[in-house]
Amino acid sequence: TAQLALRILRGEDVRTIPVNRTDTGRLAFDWRELQRWNLPEDRLPEHAEILHKQASFWQRNSGRIIGLIAVLAVQSALITALLIERQRRRKANIGLQQSEERYRNVVETQTELICRFLPDTTLTFVNDAYCKYFARTAHELLGSKFVLLIPESDRDSMLRYIESLIHQPRTTTHEHEVLRPDGSCGWQQWT
């Protein structure tokens, strides 16, 4: 109003000044006072404006809350996946152990002599039949060289034969003499 009066006092024609119509019947309420007096907002007139309203916790933090829920959901999914993988691995390990036990049982109860050795003929596995044949325990045989169970005259040819298998791997059957526990010679055929 004061600015309009100044414009008129400066000589501006009143007819050139546009008329602005404003709604002076607008209702505005201070939210803080509504809270103070415990007045519910739904009891206010329909088009009432609420001033100084503070945002709720959800309105202030909705982005953070949604982000936190998303992170927790992803973590839960990962933990669930890891637990499932752990359970599968445990079942696989149990199956592997059972398979190894069956294999070991078959190998160790064979009447055939079964052994495993390194290229230098150091024994790394012997079954019960092998131990009985040479009248020694597995503890005595493991770590020793099986070439020492062969007559001394045949040892070099056996080492050359094994070396040829290393350089030219193949499946073959070989027969040779062995020294029996009583000093006699026996025969062994291996594949």
Side-chain angles (χ1 to χ4, degrees), residues 90-100 102:
R90 185 177 294 146
K91 284 181 181 178
N93 283 339
I94 290 170
L96 180 62
Q97 286 173 349
Q98 290 171 344
S99 175
E100 285 177 358
R102 284 191 302 271

Side-chain angles (χ1 to χ4, degrees), residues 40-96:
E41 291 178 33
D42 60 355
R43 303 240 3 233
L44 298 177
E46 190 175 324
H47 297 290
E49 183 180 352
I50 299 174
L51 304 173
H52 309 292
K53 184 172 183 177
Q54 294 179 356
S56 69
F57 180 78
W58 172 255
Q59 290 168 332
R60 287 191 314 266
N61 300 304
S62 62
R64 290 181 182 145
I65 292 170
I66 291 171
L68 180 63
I69 290 171
V71 167
L72 289 174
V74 169
Q75 282 183 338
S76 297
L78 288 174
I79 289 169
T80 301
L82 288 172
L83 289 173
I84 290 169
E85 178 62 27
R86 180 176 157 190
Q87 184 178 9
R88 286 181 186 163
R89 184 174 288 143
R90 185 177 294 146
K91 284 181 181 178
N93 283 339
I94 290 170
L96 180 62

